[in-house]
Amino acid sequence: MDTLNSTVRYTAILCLSFALWNCESRREVETTEEITVDTAETEDTARVIKTGNTAEDELEEFRAWLNRQTERGDTAIRREWPQVREELRERNVKLEQKFDSLSEQSKEEFRILQSRYERWEDRQERRQQQPLDPAKVTEWQDQLLDDYDNLNTIQPENIREAYLTFMGEVRAKRRNWSQDDWDYVDYVYSQLNQRRRQLEGELRTSDRLKIRTLQAEYLALEGSADTMDMLQGSAER
């Protein structure tokens, strides 16, 4: 019975994780809930999911888990970083062991996720050691959000415009930013995303879809900046 209950809880958590999406800041500014379900109703589903744990399933789970972690707040990540880091590595190793079973498209996606995972881990390590300056956080928030710099004033009817304002600044100024600058940008981005989560149930479908598009664009630009920074670092060494 204990084994069955554990399997059911795993199923519920896995299904929930597939529904979650996206990615954000990880550096701290200075200054799970366990889900249970009815055993009788989910026994068959749990058995199917457990036995269908293919390499492709592992890849999808890794993607969803990484997205979920990068969307969490700085305080939670700082408190749980050793455990999060270890789980990241374990999931990465599991997929590497099944790499040959992936399709060519999935192999390429895994390589991209690996690169993203490595950048995220490096950034986390650095941010744990060097917290952000609260005064500079305020400056960057003013610069990137303009009229929406007070996040508490962002409401369902104007959150789309807040994201558009943020991304307009990112597009215009990103080429002049250092890696340290990106840390502050990334923090503001995470705060904006946290505000979105608070309002999620009140957002119109069209606004939700537009915000996801803008989030994907931000992640692509941030990833490109990380790659350039790593290449420059390698050249200097």
Side-chain angles (χ1 to χ4, degrees), residues 33-221:
E33 168 180 84
E34 184 179 74
I35 300 175
T36 58
V37 293
D38 184 80
T39 301
E41 293 181 355
T42 61
E43 182 175 352
D44 292 338
T45 302
R47 187 180 301 115
V48 169
I49 291 178
K50 184 176 181 179
T51 57
N53 197 24
T54 65
E56 300 289 340
D57 294 332
E58 293 277 4
L59 178 63
E60 185 170 355
E61 183 182 350
F62 180 60
R63 182 199 313 116
W65 188 87
L66 184 58
N67 284 340
R68 189 167 70 254
Q69 295 305 315
T70 55
E71 196 174 72
R72 299 174 66 198
D74 291 339
T75 300
I77 289 294
R78 184 182 181 90
R79 183 178 61 249
E80 302 172 17
W81 175 239
Q83 294 89 342
V84 171
R85 177 181 55 197
E86 186 61 28
E87 187 168 357
L88 268 170
R89 293 175 177 175
E90 289 176 358
R91 288 174 179 272
N92 187 58
V93 168
K94 285 173 63 178
L95 265 170
E96 284 181 336
Q97 293 171 344
K98 297 183 177 181
F99 184 78
D100 291 339
S101 301
L102 294 170
S103 67
E104 289 303 315
Q105 181 177 354
S106 293
K107 286 178 179 178
E108 182 59 29
E109 181 182 1
F110 178 50
R111 293 186 186 101
I112 293 172
L113 285 175
Q114 272 190 316
S115 177
R116 177 181 163 199
Y117 145 68
E118 290 167 0
R119 294 195 309 267
W120 191 77
E121 182 175 10
D122 289 344
R123 180 174 293 174
Q124 281 299 327
E125 295 284 358
R126 180 164 49 84
R127 292 178 178 182
Q128 298 297 316
Q129 298 171 14
Q130 184 181 358
L132 296 173
D133 179 350
K136 291 183 70 174
V137 167
T138 300
E139 292 176 6
W140 277 97
Q141 199 157 298
D142 290 343
Q143 174 185 334
L144 294 168
L145 294 176
D146 196 19
D147 292 341
Y148 305 98
D149 59 330
N150 183 350
L151 293 166
N152 291 328
T153 66
I154 295 177
Q155 299 299 323
E157 60 270 18
N158 62 14
I159 192 169
R160 175 175 178 157
E161 189 60 36
Y163 272 93
L164 287 168
T165 299
F166 174 82
M167 282 307 304
E169 291 293 313
V170 172
R171 295 187 197 108
K173 300 176 180 177
R174 61 188 173 86
R175 289 186 174 84
N176 297 322
W177 287 339
S178 67
Q179 191 57 54
D180 188 64
D181 291 336
W182 273 103
D183 284 354
Y184 286 92
V185 176
D186 205 38
Y187 180 80
V188 174
Y189 173 73
S190 80
Q191 296 300 103
L192 182 58
N193 280 339
Q194 287 188 51
R195 181 57 177 166
R196 173 191 58 78
R197 287 193 294 274
Q198 293 172 355
L199 304 172
E200 186 70 27
E202 305 174 58
L203 300 183
R204 294 173 295 190
T205 300
S206 59
D207 289 343
R208 190 178 294 113
L209 292 175
K210 179 61 176 180
I211 288 170
R212 287 183 178 178
T213 299
L214 295 170
Q215 288 172 323
E217 180 185 359
Y218 173 79
L219 293 176
L221 294 177

